[in-house]
């Protein structure tokens, strides 16, 4: 893909209709776009992490409802709505932790149900899905702008997993802050943790940043602590898949980086849109997705764990709010729990992202 074109990991063509997406499990070795013309294919892409990243899942979820509306064979309204609701159920079942997926699905589904005419409902689904996508673009750029206030002019940033353009509609959240800083003249070096077991940092974050000409070095997850101790890290910026009133859920391994950052007096920031907040919930309410044994038990086609040995493979961990220096959003930077009331007020007065 030409490096001068913006990364768009998920796009929608209503006229076909189809959802096109970058098949992210193939990166960095192969850049390939795939398409989903059915909700079932989209659901499989989400399960397999062909499409991944909380904001991108929100966009995909909204597009999925629009796709379901356009491909429904029903000519009777009640059956049409039943088709859309079944599609929503299928998509919601793919990944339980990332709240943006549910946000995008619910936005588009609500738009459909506001209309009693099938053709009008289809048009509304397309319009709402595209608005979810456009909002994410505006949101990521706003996150980047707000993040400028915490990035020193010359600095080294540690990030974990991939919270970049590949995880959003474009630009990124954590990487959006980095991109905005570089665009504004900051001299930024990035350490990207490889992010075991699926290497989203090594495969995706490093690929994105190298494509943009941003100085990036990949390290194993266990190298972060000694680099902090040696004074090689100025701040940590990560993304989030869900933010409750007391914790930030992000890719497994995030918590240990937060603990190490605290021990070495290094700022630890989370960059995420308001749609990632689940502020009425607490950590114990959330179901953490469990991934397959094979993701850990094999590597590069080789068996790395004896067959008789069990594997524990949660996709995410929870970082307690007190370890987070601030949450960089499109509406500014907030800290939990002290800014919880402010967050709830903004959520009440907006859809959760920029309007």
């Amino acid at each position: 893909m030409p490096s001068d074109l913006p990364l768009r990991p998920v796009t929608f063509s209503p006229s076909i209709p189809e959802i096109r997406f970058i098949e992210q499990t193939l990166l960095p070795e192969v850049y390939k776009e795939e398409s989903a013309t059915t909700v079932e294919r989209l659901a499989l892409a989400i399960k397999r992490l062909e499409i991944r990243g909380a904001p991108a899942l929100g966009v995909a979820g909204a597009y999925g409802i629009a796709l379901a509306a356009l491909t429904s064979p029903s000519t009777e309204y009640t059956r049409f709505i039943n088709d859309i609701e079944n599609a929503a159920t299928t998509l919601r079942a793919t990944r339980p932790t990332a709240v943006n997926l549910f946000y995008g699905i619910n936005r588009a589904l609500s738009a459909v149900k506001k209309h009693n005419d099938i053709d009008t409902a289809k048009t509304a689904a397309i319009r709402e899905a595209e608005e979810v996508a456009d909002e994410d673009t505006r949101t990521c750029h706003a996150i980047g702008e707000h993040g400028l206030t915490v990035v020193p002019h010359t600095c080294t940033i540690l990030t974990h997993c991939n919270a970049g353009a590949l995880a959003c509609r474009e630009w990124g959240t954590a990487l959006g802050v980095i991109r905005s800083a570089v665009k504004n003249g900051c001299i930024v070096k990035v350490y990207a943790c490889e992010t075991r077991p699926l290497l989203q940092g090594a495969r995706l974050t490093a690929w994105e940043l190298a494509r943009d000409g941003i100085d990036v070095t990949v390290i194993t997850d266990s190298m972060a602590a000694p680099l902090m101790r040696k004074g090689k890290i100025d701040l940590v910026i990560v993304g989030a898949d869900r933010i409750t009133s007391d914790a930030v859920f992000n890719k497994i391994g995030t918590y240990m980086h937060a603990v190490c950052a605290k021990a070495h007096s290094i700022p630890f920031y989370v960059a995420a849109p308001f749609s990632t907040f689940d502020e009425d919930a607490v950590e114990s309410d959330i179901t953490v997705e469990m991934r397959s044994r094979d993701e850990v038990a094999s590597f590069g086609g080789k068996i790395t764990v004896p067959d008789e040995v069990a594997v524990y493979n949660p996709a995410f961990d929870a970082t307690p709010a007190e370890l987070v220096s601030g949450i960089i959003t499109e509406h500014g930077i907030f800290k939990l729990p002290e800014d919880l009331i402010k967050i709830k007020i903004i959520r009440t007065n907006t859809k959760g992202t920029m309007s």
Side-chain angles (χ1 to χ4, degrees), residues 153-226:
H153 182 267
T154 302
C155 64
T156 300
I157 299 173
L158 177 79
T159 192
H160 185 70
C161 197
N162 174 260
L166 290 170
C168 301
R169 207 276 185 103
E170 63 172 66
W171 203 244
T173 53
L175 296 196
V177 173
I178 292 170
R179 285 189 169 100
S180 293
V182 172
K183 181 181 177 182
N184 279 269
C186 293
I187 302 169
V188 178
K189 176 181 174 62
V190 179
Y191 280 112
C193 294
E194 63 174 354
T195 322
R196 283 284 293 148
L198 296 180
L199 305 178
Q200 293 97 327
R203 294 188 304 104
L204 305 180
T205 294
W207 181 79
E208 275 197 46
L209 294 179
R211 179 179 179 272
D212 283 1
I214 296 174
D215 187 353
V216 58
T217 299
V218 172
I219 61 171
T220 64
D221 299 349
S222 55
M223 289 180 184

Side-chain angles (χ1 to χ4, degrees), residues 168-340:
C168 301
R169 207 276 185 103
E170 63 172 66
W171 203 244
T173 53
L175 296 196
V177 173
I178 292 170
R179 285 189 169 100
S180 293
V182 172
K183 181 181 177 182
N184 279 269
C186 293
I187 302 169
V188 178
K189 176 181 174 62
V190 179
Y191 280 112
C193 294
E194 63 174 354
T195 322
R196 283 284 293 148
L198 296 180
L199 305 178
Q200 293 97 327
R203 294 188 304 104
L204 305 180
T205 294
W207 181 79
E208 275 197 46
L209 294 179
R211 179 179 179 272
D212 283 1
I214 296 174
D215 187 353
V216 58
T217 299
V218 172
I219 61 171
T220 64
D221 299 349
S222 55
M223 289 180 184
L227 283 175
M228 291 182 190
R229 186 174 181 228
K230 292 178 180 179
K232 301 293 186 181
I233 306 295
D234 296 303
L235 74 160
V236 182
I237 307 178
V238 300
D241 290 86
R242 187 185 294 244
I243 302 172
T244 61
S245 62
D246 59 347
V248 171
F249 287 79
N250 194 49
K251 182 58 59 182
I252 190 72
T254 302
Y255 171 59
M256 70 177 180
H257 297 318
V259 170
C260 291
K262 184 75 170 180
H264 295 92
S265 300
I266 297 169
F268 181 95
Y269 284 93
V270 172
F274 252 63
S275 55
T276 305
F277 280 101
D278 188 6
E279 70 278 3
D280 291 325
V282 294
E283 177 186 341
S284 58
D285 294 332
I286 308 306
T287 299
V288 173
E289 175 187 358
M290 299 301 296
R291 302 287 299 176
S292 74
R293 180 185 188 278
D294 291 345
E295 291 180 350
V296 175
S298 62
F299 191 89
K302 301 287 186 180
I303 299 299
T304 55
V305 178
D307 290 341
E308 66 272 16
V309 175
V311 166
Y312 176 60
N313 186 23
F316 307 99
D317 60 26
T319 297
E322 60 265 23
L323 295 178
V324 179
S325 303
I327 301 169
I328 307 167
T329 79
E330 69 270 31
H331 296 290
I333 301 177
F334 300 89
K335 188 166 174 57
L336 291 173
E338 49 260 54
D339 288 331
L340 185 59

Side-chain angles (χ1 to χ4, degrees), residues 110-167:
S110 177
V112 168
K113 289 184 174 181
K114 288 178 181 177
H115 302 277
N116 295 323
D117 172 74
I118 291 178
D119 288 338
T120 306
K122 289 180 178 181
T123 300
I126 296 169
R127 185 185 306 116
E128 192 68 18
E130 291 295 0
E131 181 59 18
V132 169
D134 290 344
E135 282 182 1
D136 188 67
T137 295
R138 298 194 297 270
T139 293
C140 286
H141 283 275
I143 289 171
E145 291 300 309
H146 286 295
L148 291 175
T149 62
V150 305
V151 179
H153 182 267
T154 302
C155 64
T156 300
I157 299 173
L158 177 79
T159 192
H160 185 70
C161 197
N162 174 260
L166 290 170

